[in-house]
């Protein structure tokens, strides 16, 4: 064996047949068989625990969770949406539990159809000037963030009591108001543009009602 390996290492092609004959005589085949390690225990199936949807979700599970066929690390589940769609909707269970996925697509379509609040060009320019005077960044072009616009409206009306030290509405205040008044928040409790403006409108309308009551 050593002599055959020596000649093979030197490139001695003339002894290749002798080396192959030696290997065949020793192992009974040109290459020694590779033994596959025996599995000591049967593979244990992953225990998939079902978790409930987010409290604001429109989805209801229709069966047990299972591993994604293409991405086994993901746990998915079939759900039925409260919008009335009879077809089950498959989603990642963790996304439904966290609230990132709340429907089978009907909420997204509804948000797209919803008409955005119209803000005039004159008001946008006034908001930018007001923000610059307070060191608030708005950018030079495009739509001004709704939080800044709502804060501007309240500031101009003298409602400084609802603004924070930075001159802007505090998100926690608006979130609390939205929950009390049935306003829909975005994913993970994010305040949407519509909710910022709706809060300002509600606060200013309540001031007008209070003024009318005082005059009477």
């Amino acid at each position: 064996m050593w002599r055959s390996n020596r000649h093979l290492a030197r490139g001695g092609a003339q002894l290749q047949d002798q080396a192959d004959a030696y290997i065949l005589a020793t192992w009974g085949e040109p290459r020694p068989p590779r033994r596959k390690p025996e599995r000591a225990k049967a593979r244990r199936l992953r225990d998939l625990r079902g978790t409930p949807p987010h409290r604001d979700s429109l989805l209801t599970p229709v069966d047990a969770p299972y591993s994604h066929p293409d991405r086994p690390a993901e746990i998915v589940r079939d759900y039925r949406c409260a919008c009335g769609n009879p077809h089950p909707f498959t989603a990642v269970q963790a996304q439904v539990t966290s609230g990132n996925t709340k429907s089978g697509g009907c909420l997204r379509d509804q948000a797209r159809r919803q008409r955005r609040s119209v803000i005039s060009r004159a008001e946008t320019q006034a908001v930018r000037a007001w923000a610059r005077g307070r060191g608030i960044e708005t950018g030079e072009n495009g739509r001004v963030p709704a939080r800044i616009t709502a804060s501007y409206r309240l500031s101009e009306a003298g409602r400084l009591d609802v603004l924070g030290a930075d001159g802007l509405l505090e998100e926690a205040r608006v979130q609390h108001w939205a929950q009390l008044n049935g306003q829909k928040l975005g994913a993970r409790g994010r305040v949407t543009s519509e909710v910022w403006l709706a809060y300002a409108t509600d606060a200013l309308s309540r001031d007008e009602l209070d003024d009318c009551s005082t005059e009477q």
Side-chain angles (χ1 to χ4, degrees), residues 170-193:
E170 297 179 350
E171 188 172 12
R173 174 190 293 272
V174 180
Q175 286 174 334
H176 180 68
W177 171 84
Q179 292 170 355
L180 293 178
N181 292 271
Q183 295 284 335
K184 292 184 179 180
L185 297 171
R188 300 180 182 178
R190 182 180 61 84
V191 179
T192 62
S193 300

Side-chain angles (χ1 to χ4, degrees), residues 77-110:
R77 202 170 186 180
D78 293 335
Y79 298 88
R80 197 176 301 280
C81 187
C83 67
N85 187 349
H87 302 290
F89 170 72
T90 302
V92 178
Q93 179 177 243
Q95 298 296 323
V96 176
T97 300
S98 66
N100 288 339
T101 302
K102 295 182 179 180
S103 72
C106 58
L107 291 180
R108 181 182 64 251
D109 296 339
Q110 180 180 353

Side-chain angles (χ1 to χ4, degrees), residues 17-33:
D17 294 340
Q18 297 180 15
D20 292 342
Y22 178 86
I23 294 173
L24 185 62
T26 302
W27 287 290
E29 54 184 299
R31 293 288 183 272

Side-chain angles (χ1 to χ4, degrees), residues 138-200:
T138 63
E140 297 298 330
N141 300 307
R143 188 180 178 91
V144 176
R147 181 187 184 187
I148 299 178
T149 300
S151 302
Y152 161 80
R153 293 176 179 178
L154 292 169
S155 176
E156 291 298 292
R159 289 299 310 271
L160 302 179
D161 56 303
V162 298
L163 302 180
D166 57 355
L168 297 175
L169 277 170
E170 297 179 350
E171 188 172 12
R173 174 190 293 272
V174 180
Q175 286 174 334
H176 180 68
W177 171 84
Q179 292 170 355
L180 293 178
N181 292 271
Q183 295 284 335
K184 292 184 179 180
L185 297 171
R188 300 180 182 178
R190 182 180 61 84
V191 179
T192 62
S193 300
E194 291 76 15
V195 174
W196 286 116
L197 298 177
Y199 175 86

Side-chain angles (χ1 to χ4, degrees), residues 19-151:
D20 292 342
Y22 178 86
I23 294 173
L24 185 62
T26 302
W27 287 290
E29 54 184 299
R31 293 288 183 272
R34 293 185 179 181
R35 295 183 180 179
K36 294 182 180 180
E38 296 181 0
R39 190 179 298 275
K41 296 181 180 179
R43 180 176 296 178
R44 183 179 179 182
L45 295 177
R46 186 180 178 185
D47 184 19
L48 302 182
R49 182 174 61 89
T51 56
H54 191 270
R55 64 178 181 273
D56 297 331
S57 177
L58 300 180
L59 301 176
T60 302
V62 297
D63 58 9
Y66 57 94
S67 296
H68 193 287
D70 297 327
R71 299 183 293 275
E74 284 189 354
I75 300 176
V76 296
R77 202 170 186 180
D78 293 335
Y79 298 88
R80 197 176 301 280
C81 187
C83 67
N85 187 349
H87 302 290
F89 170 72
T90 302
V92 178
Q93 179 177 243
Q95 298 296 323
V96 176
T97 300
S98 66
N100 288 339
T101 302
K102 295 182 179 180
S103 72
C106 58
L107 291 180
R108 181 182 64 251
D109 296 339
Q110 180 180 353
R112 289 176 178 174
R113 291 192 300 266
Q114 186 175 5
R115 187 174 182 180
R116 301 182 68 177
S117 302
V118 178
I119 300 176
S120 66
R121 182 176 181 181
E123 185 181 23
T124 298
Q125 293 175 348
V127 172
R128 282 201 169 93
W130 172 84
R132 281 195 297 268
R134 289 159 178 76
I136 301 173
E137 181 63 34
T138 63
E140 297 298 330
N141 300 307
R143 188 180 178 91
V144 176
R147 181 187 184 187
I148 299 178
T149 300
S151 302

